[in-house]
Amino acid sequence: QVDLEESGGGTVQAGGSLRLSCTTSGVIFSDDCMAWLRQAPGKERREVARIRTGGAVYSNSVQGRFRISHDDESNILYLQMNNLEPEDTAVYYCAARKGRCSGTYTYRGQGTQVTVSS
């Protein structure tokens, strides 16, 4: 069974930083695909970053500002978000898929709200 629980969301001014955490169980970071998704009001849920076997991929909108990483000892997935913009306001979800990063994500947490004020 895979369980994912996000934390670390909040309200921050534009230009600020936040670090999201996802406590995981039932996933193996070296084998499975882990990702952060986000859904802004009135918009579709989209992937912002994913990682597997040490390689990370970012969406164009967050490239150079966000960094995805994981701590293998504590089984926590992180998303460090710097230079935040109002357009980053969304509910952020931790997601996982067994094996390769292709197709939809089978598992997803409940989400954490990030609000960036201008």
Side-chain angles (χ1 to χ4, degrees), residues 27-54:
V27 297
I28 302 173
F29 289 140
S30 59
D31 292 341
D32 300 330
C33 184
M34 303 298 301
W36 287 96
L37 316 176
R38 71 184 182 187
Q39 186 167 19
K43 296 187 177 182
E44 294 183 352
R45 188 178 299 121
R46 293 185 180 275
E47 178 185 294
V48 296
R50 66 174 185 264
I51 187 169
R52 181 175 182 266
T53 62

Side-chain angles (χ1 to χ4, degrees), residues 39-98:
Q39 186 167 19
K43 296 187 177 182
E44 294 183 352
R45 188 178 299 121
R46 293 185 180 275
E47 178 185 294
V48 296
R50 66 174 185 264
I51 187 169
R52 181 175 182 266
T53 62
V57 177
Y58 300 91
S59 68
N60 290 337
S61 61
V62 307
Q63 178 75 47
R65 300 187 298 122
F66 289 13
R67 181 174 181 270
I68 187 172
S69 63
H70 53 73
D71 184 319
D72 293 354
E73 289 191 4
S74 61
N75 294 322
I76 297 177
L77 180 75
Y78 296 104
L79 184 68
Q80 177 66 44
M81 307 185 294
N82 299 324
N83 194 19
L84 283 160
E85 304 168 353
E87 293 73 21
D88 296 317
T89 295
V91 178
Y92 284 73
Y93 300 90
C94 174
R97 173 184 168 82
K98 286 293 184 178

